[in-house]
Amino acid sequence: MDIRELRYFAAVYRARNLTAAARACFVSQPSISTAITNLEAELGTTLFIRHKKGVAPTASAEQFHALARRIIDESDAARSLFRKQATRTTVTLGLMRTLDVPRTIALLKPLTARSDIALRLVGSDERADARIISKSMLRADEHFVALWSERYVAALPPSHPLTLKEKLRAADLAGAAMIDRCHCEQSQFFGRAAQRRQTAAIAQSEDWAMALVAAGIGIAIVPEGVARGNPDVAVREIEVKVKREVGLAYRASVPLADALKDLVGKLQKQRRKHDRIARQRSVRKTLSPSR
C-alpha cells in the first residue's frame, strides 16, 4: 500500500461516497475505486459495503481508519519537518453556517496543506477574499463557481411518529414542534402552511439544530448532508423538491490570491468533467432501447 491509497481510503471513509471522495481528492472515481480494491486485496478484508446512496464502512474499516489516519498525519509532519518557512499570504475565507462537516473538511484541506498561506475564516457576511455560500446569497458583483447541489430533508427524533412515513408533506408537520432555521429554502417547503407551524426552538447553526432534534425537541428541515451525517436523528424526504446550490463566490474586481486561483481552476475543471459525464449518461439513457 502507498500513502496515496491511504489518503483515498480516508476520503471515502469521511464522505461515505466514492464520487464525493473523488471530488475531494481531485481525481476520477475509478482511481478511488481501484485504490480501495487494492487495499482490500492487500489487507485481505472488505473495507466498505456498497449501497444505492454510497458506501458504509465495515468493522475492518473502522479499525483500519485510526491507523491510516496516523500514517497520513505522520507523513505530512515528516514532509514539513525540513521545509523552509515560506512567506505566508493571509487568505480570508467566508463560510456560511450551514455547511456540513465532511464537505467543510474536504474544502479546507487543499488550503491548509499549503505552506505559503495563512488561512483565516470568518462568517459569510463579513469581508473576505472569497466565500463558500449558497447561490441564493450571491452578490451582484461576485462570480460563482458551483461545488455541489443538495436537497433539503426532514430530520426527526428517532422515536417520532412521523418516522413511520417515507415522505413528509407540509401538512404532516402542521402542529408539530419545529426547530427553526433562518434559510429561505425552508419557507419554500412550508409555503402557506407557515402560519400553522409550532416553533419549539430557533437554532443558530446546523449542528445545534441536529442536537435539538436528537434531544427530542422537534423536527428540522435541513440540508441532506447535515442530516445524513448525524446518526442520532431519523431522516425523511419531503414532498417539495427544495434544493440549494453551494459554491465559491468571489469579487470580479479584486485579484484572487494564488491559492484561491488554483482552487477555482481545479473546481472549474472538476465541474466541466462532471457535466460532461452527466451529458454522456443522459445521451446513453436516451439512446438505450426501451424494454
Side-chain angles (χ1 to χ4, degrees), residues 110-133:
L111 297 175
T112 57
R114 295 185 55 142
S115 61
D116 58 339
I117 69 166
L119 188 62
R120 176 173 173 263
L121 301 180
V122 298
S124 61
D125 57 344
E126 298 181 57
R127 189 174 183 85
D129 297 306
R131 305 188 298 152
I132 305 296
I133 58 169

Side-chain angles (χ1 to χ4, degrees), residues 16-253:
R16 302 296 202 266
N17 186 282
L18 296 177
T19 303
R23 284 199 299 264
C25 296
F26 299 104
V27 297
S28 65
Q29 183 174 320
S31 298
I32 297 287
S33 299
T34 299
I36 299 302
T37 300
N38 290 344
L39 280 175
E40 289 179 331
E42 188 169 353
L43 295 171
T45 187
T46 300
L47 296 173
F48 297 102
I49 303 298
R50 274 73 168 174
H51 56 78
K52 63 180 181 179
K53 293 186 178 179
V55 297
T58 63
S60 296
E62 299 284 357
Q63 185 178 3
F64 183 60
H65 180 257
L67 176 61
R69 189 68 261 171
R70 185 164 69 248
I71 294 172
I72 293 168
D73 291 341
E74 289 179 352
S75 173
D76 290 342
R79 187 178 291 109
S80 61
L81 183 62
F82 302 106
R83 185 180 296 162
K84 293 181 179 180
Q85 187 66 38
T87 302
R88 307 182 79 191
T89 301
T90 299
V91 174
T92 303
L93 189 63
L95 298 181
M96 65 178 184
R97 292 183 176 182
T98 59
L99 291 173
D100 57 276
V101 172
R103 281 185 171 128
T104 302
I105 292 173
L107 281 170
L108 297 181
K109 275 284 188 179
L111 297 175
T112 57
R114 295 185 55 142
S115 61
D116 58 339
I117 69 166
L119 188 62
R120 176 173 173 263
L121 301 180
V122 298
S124 61
D125 57 344
E126 298 181 57
R127 189 174 183 85
D129 297 306
R131 305 188 298 152
I132 305 296
I133 58 169
S134 170
K135 195 172 184 178
S136 61
M137 302 166 63
L138 190 66
R139 296 167 183 158
D141 64 340
E142 288 180 317
H143 285 318
F144 185 80
V145 180
L147 294 171
W148 69 81
S149 177
E150 64 181 332
R151 61 181 179 172
Y152 276 75
V153 296
L156 305 89
S159 60
H160 198 285
L162 286 177
T163 58
L164 299 175
K165 293 192 172 188
E166 290 298 319
K167 183 179 292 187
L168 302 181
R169 301 171 301 162
D172 293 327
L173 300 180
M178 299 297 301
I179 309 298
D180 265 5
R181 291 287 295 113
C182 299
H183 51 69
C184 59
E185 291 90 348
Q186 179 169 298
S187 63
Q188 291 179 34
F189 171 60
F190 284 106
R192 295 179 180 177
Q195 67 273 16
R196 292 185 287 160
R197 286 163 53 204
Q198 177 184 332
T199 301
I202 299 176
Q204 297 301 315
S205 69
E206 299 296 6
D207 286 344
W208 185 232
M210 290 298 91
L212 294 177
V213 172
I217 303 299
I219 300 169
I221 305 299
V222 295
E224 185 175 21
V226 173
R228 298 288 182 194
N230 193 310
D232 299 319
V233 305
V235 180
R236 294 295 179 269
E237 293 183 20
I238 56 178
E239 186 179 44
V240 180
K241 300 298 182 184
V242 183
K243 291 187 176 182
R244 71 172 181 180
E245 191 170 24
V246 177
L248 180 75
Y250 59 96
R251 285 178 294 167
S253 59

